[in-house]
Amino acid sequence: MKVLLTGSKGMLAKEFVSECCNRKDYTIIAPEEEECNITDISSIRNAVNRINPQALINCAAYTDVDACEVNQEKAFNVNGEGVKNLAQVCEENDILLVHFSTDFVFDGKKESPYTEKDKPNPINIYGESKLLGEQYMLNSHARFFLIRTSWMYGKRGNNFVKAVINKAVDQFEVRVVDDQVGNPTWTRNIVDISLRLLETEQYGIYNYSNEGDCSWHEFACEIIRILQNLENKFHSTRIIPIKSVQLKRAAKRPTYSALSKSKIKTATGIEIPHWKDSLKFFLEEENKL
Ligand SMILES: NC(=O)c1ccc[n+]([C@@H]2O[C@H](COP(=O)([O-])OP(=O)(O)OC[C@H]3O[C@@H](n4cnc5c(N)ncnc54)[C@H](OP(=O)(O)O)[C@@H]3O)[C@@H](O)[C@H]2O)c1
């Protein structure tokens, strides 16, 4: 399958490129933003005409959650209008569209995992802008997979795992919030399940994250615990629990945003790894380099 990938410099996009290099059944073409800017429909049309893909995987987004509060126009333009443009071009050319959204479309007031049927109610601009993109997709006539995911980390790009490690290198104490609960997700697992989903032709909206809930504090403790075992370092690092209000961040975050994965498990037959197992694989792989 020939795939056009947008947002090629991002964390998830780079995982798609590296995974598809190893798979004969996918040819992935990942132009830079200058050659495929999702906020410019003619730029998307030109890329589609040049590449003639069967599927378009959209990893382009404005993902700086706090900056979205300040740059609201950019947030709605990239995360909302950009997705509308993609859906329109995919519909015109009968291209399958794969797009990613977020647990941050929910307000966090539920006490059990959010299903695809739960009503979104974002509490920050990033979530609102991502919801706008979802709505454009749901109203389009393109064939699509809309995959909501959460708390992503991977080899490339800035993410929580790297941030904790970088802090632990310099500081004996790392402060992490313990009043937000969700599901960590390794980019490798998202890529695997997305490619499997593509084969199903069961289009629609799906949740995907690793199994198991935790707070950011528990997540940080596990990162350090694994590294202590692997590298015999960070033995004096302490992860100190704090509350979200102490961070004084621009954007509010949902206190609970775990995702139910029943639908994607049924559609793909894939058993989803627990977040602790994926984290261990990831850190072991990084450690070998
Ligand atoms: N990271 C997470 O924890 C997380 C959680 C849930 C869902 N998601 C979703 O997963 C998807 C991938 O996230 P990610 O973390 O891989 O994002 P990322 O690393 O921030 O990558 C997004 C890429 O899109 C590019 N981009 C921005 N505007 C663009 C435009 N108009 N046209 C083309 N490219 C553009 C960005 O370039 P610049 O950096 O130069 O702006 C960046 O390279 C996103 O839809 C995100 O909302 C992420």
Side-chain angles (χ1 to χ4, degrees), residues 82-153:
V83 181
K84 182 184 183 188
N85 291 337
L86 291 168
Q88 188 174 328
V89 176
C90 285
E91 189 180 325
E92 286 164 7
N93 294 276
D94 192 26
I95 295 167
L96 171 63
L97 177 58
V98 181
H99 172 66
F100 298 90
S101 190
T102 168
D103 54 330
F104 280 18
V105 297
F106 296 115
D107 60 18
K109 293 188 180 141
K110 205 179 167 196
E111 288 171 354
S112 58
Y114 284 95
T115 73
E116 292 80 357
K117 289 186 177 155
D118 283 315
K119 197 171 178 291
N121 182 30
I123 57 172
N124 58 40
I125 297 296
Y126 171 69
E128 273 186 42
S129 67
K130 292 293 291 182
L131 180 59
L132 181 66
E134 287 191 0
Q135 286 162 344
Y136 281 134
M137 273 190 87
L138 294 168
N139 291 329
S140 90
H141 296 288
R143 288 175 294 130
F144 68 81
F145 289 110
L146 168 50
I147 305 169
R148 283 190 189 132
T149 187
S150 63
W151 295 25
M152 213 160 73
Y153 65 90

Side-chain angles (χ1 to χ4, degrees), residues 7-27:
S8 61
K9 287 190 175 151
M11 172 163 61
L12 184 58
K14 287 189 171 165
E15 191 78 56
F16 268 107
V17 171
S18 104
E19 179 60 23
C20 288
C21 286
N22 305 323
R23 297 177 61 141
K24 289 198 184 89
D25 42 347
Y26 287 95
T27 305

